[in-house]
Amino acid sequence: MAQTNEELIASVVRQVLRELSGVAPINAAPISAAPASKAPASAAAGPEITAQDYPLGMKRRDILKSPRGIPFDELTLENVESGKVTFEDFSISPDVLRMQGDIAASAGRSQIALNFGRAREMTKIPDARILEMYNSLRPHRSTKEELLAMAEELQSQYDASVCSTFVREAADVYQRRGLLKGDLPTD
């Protein structure tokens, strides 16, 4: 059993490293180089990234780092085995999400850029709180006031303006469609 788990972990690490190296998923859509306006994800400081830099794992390895600051080229199976890199090093960092958002924006895919911006903001929120918020956003789980309080928390506590706007819009939509706590389901 232990041998099987080690083989599985090694297989997963190899797959992640292969994907980070720029091997695109089979169903990945190509990115056009059409210029577009910058999305909110691009507001943070960092190197200018465009669609020409995609995939980052192949063309900009020099600027990629793990959330703990480990350079991309040091995310190896050998360093996993030695304990130099940890599970945390294989999660995406806010900087990489910003860069992916920049790529999407420069390719004219503003909605994808916005989604990367929202994901970047969510890296600041503890996982347990994200799950609570997710459950609160399910239909008939929250009042409009509770959703607006969540939006205010996202803005003031986590500086997550994209997420805050999303929750405020959800509160309005839920109200219009009768999806707030206490509304009767319609069939």
Side-chain angles (χ1 to χ4, degrees):
M1 184 70 166
Q3 181 67 20
T4 302
N5 285 341
E6 288 179 20
E7 290 172 5
L8 178 62
I9 291 169
S11 173
V12 169
V13 169
R14 283 189 192 96
Q15 182 179 353
V16 168
L17 290 173
R18 200 177 110 231
E19 289 180 14
L20 287 173
S21 295
V23 178
I26 293 170
N27 295 326
I31 290 180
S32 71
S37 62
K38 293 280 186 181
S42 304
E48 184 175 338
I49 302 294
T50 69
Q52 304 304 315
D53 296 306
Y54 184 83
L56 292 171
M58 290 180 67
K59 296 183 177 177
R60 298 301 309 264
R61 302 171 75 91
D62 59 311
I63 59 172
L64 295 178
K65 293 184 178 175
S66 79
R68 293 188 321 131
I70 305 291
F72 178 77
D73 287 332
E74 293 181 24
L75 300 177
T76 64
L77 184 57
E78 293 76 28
N79 285 336
V80 169
E81 292 172 340
S82 73
K84 182 177 179 184
V85 298
T86 66
F87 180 75
E88 181 185 356
D89 292 311
F90 290 94
S91 60
I92 197 158
S93 72
D95 284 343
V96 173
L97 288 166
R98 179 195 52 80
M99 290 182 233
Q100 295 286 15
D102 288 349
I103 288 170
S106 75
R109 300 190 178 185
S110 58
Q111 186 59 53
I112 294 173
L114 189 64
N115 290 343
F116 277 118
R118 189 169 50 237
R120 180 173 177 261
E121 288 181 348
M122 291 175 70
T123 62
K124 304 175 205 170
I125 305 168
D127 290 346
R129 185 63 184 127
I130 287 175
L131 289 174
E132 290 172 357
M133 290 177 171
Y134 172 80
N135 282 324
S136 295
L137 282 167
R138 296 174 69 189
H140 305 288
R141 296 290 176 98
S142 301
T143 64
K144 184 170 186 177
E145 291 74 25
E146 289 168 335
L147 292 175
L148 293 176
M150 181 192 314
E152 178 58 29
E153 175 190 355
L154 287 164
Q155 183 65 53
S156 63
Q157 191 167 339
Y158 301 108
D159 193 28
S161 59
V162 176
C163 292
S164 176
T165 299
F166 177 80
V167 172
R168 287 180 202 285
E169 290 173 4
D172 289 340
V173 170
Y174 283 19
Q175 184 175 37
R176 282 197 312 270
R177 296 188 177 179
L179 298 173
L180 294 169
K181 182 192 273 182
D183 292 336
L184 295 176
T186 58
D187 288 327

